[in-house]
Amino acid sequence: MTNEQIKNYTLKIADSNPTEVIVIVFELAQIYLDEAIKKQRENDFDGFKLCINKATNCINDLIESLDLSYDIARGLLNIYLFINRELSLSIIKYDENTLTRIISMLNKLQKSFEELSKTDTSGKAFKNAQEVYAGLTYGRGTLNESTSIDANRGFTV
């Protein structure tokens, strides 16, 4: 991922409710798997392995977010554990087909969580995240993007 993408996802996460954060983690996992396929086609094994590890970290975050007191969470746990096993095997197999299947599975799960996020009224997932305001201003012959972040954040001495 580029630094610009990381910045955009960071802002997106800071402004999301808990279910929307799950949707974003699915998106990130799919981005890393797409990058892994690209690295595999370029015969860059180290890059491939790095992307698989990042996707695995996303799946681990999904596992940690589960509330196992619900039956559906235990079902999701089994799916996530299966995906983790397949990701581990994909490093050994160095196989694009496995990654394509996993992307398809993640896409279906993501769509389900997107529908669920529409009903989530719990508010922002991160209560202490700073507010970021963005806007466009006109410059001489250009259009400038500006962001404003609260400067009074954190500790002062």
Side-chain angles (χ1 to χ4, degrees):
M1 284 181 58
T2 65
N3 286 338
E4 186 67 27
Q5 286 176 312
I6 292 170
K7 181 180 172 184
N8 288 338
Y9 275 106
T10 302
L11 292 174
K12 197 173 175 181
I13 288 170
D15 198 37
S16 298
N17 67 40
T19 312
E20 290 170 337
V21 172
I22 299 293
V23 172
I24 293 169
V25 173
F26 278 117
E27 286 178 29
L28 292 172
Q30 291 177 64
I31 288 171
Y32 290 131
L33 292 175
D34 286 336
E35 286 181 12
I37 290 171
K38 181 181 172 191
K39 297 293 183 184
Q40 192 261 342
R41 290 178 181 165
E42 296 170 353
N43 289 322
D44 178 3
F45 182 73
D46 291 333
F48 174 82
K49 187 176 169 184
L50 179 66
C51 291
I52 296 297
N53 288 335
K54 288 181 178 182
T56 301
N57 289 340
C58 290
I59 302 302
N60 288 337
D61 288 342
L62 292 171
I63 290 171
E64 290 176 15
S65 72
L66 292 173
D67 181 355
L68 295 175
S69 63
Y70 297 99
D71 289 334
I72 194 163
R74 288 190 289 271
L76 285 170
L77 175 63
N78 288 330
I79 293 170
Y80 296 155
L81 291 174
F82 171 78
I83 290 172
N84 266 350
R85 280 191 302 271
E86 290 296 307
L87 288 173
S88 296
L89 289 173
S90 73
I91 293 175
I92 297 167
K93 294 179 184 177
Y94 202 50
D95 180 31
E96 181 179 322
N97 294 330
T98 303
L99 298 182
T100 307
R101 278 195 334 252
I102 293 171
I103 290 171
S104 175
M105 290 174 66
L106 291 174
N107 190 27
K108 290 174 186 173
L109 288 167
Q110 178 185 348
K111 287 179 183 176
S112 299
F113 275 95
E114 283 174 352
E115 289 298 315
L116 184 62
S117 72
K118 294 175 184 175
T119 64
D120 188 351
T121 59
S122 62
K124 290 185 179 181
F126 301 100
K127 306 293 184 213
N128 294 330
Q130 66 190 62
E131 292 291 327
V132 178
Y133 301 97
L136 296 175
T137 58
Y138 292 100
R140 189 168 270 175
T142 63
L143 188 62
N144 301 316
E145 180 181 12
S146 61
T147 56
S148 174
I149 301 174
D150 184 10
N152 294 323
R153 181 165 170 81
F155 297 105
T156 56
V157 179

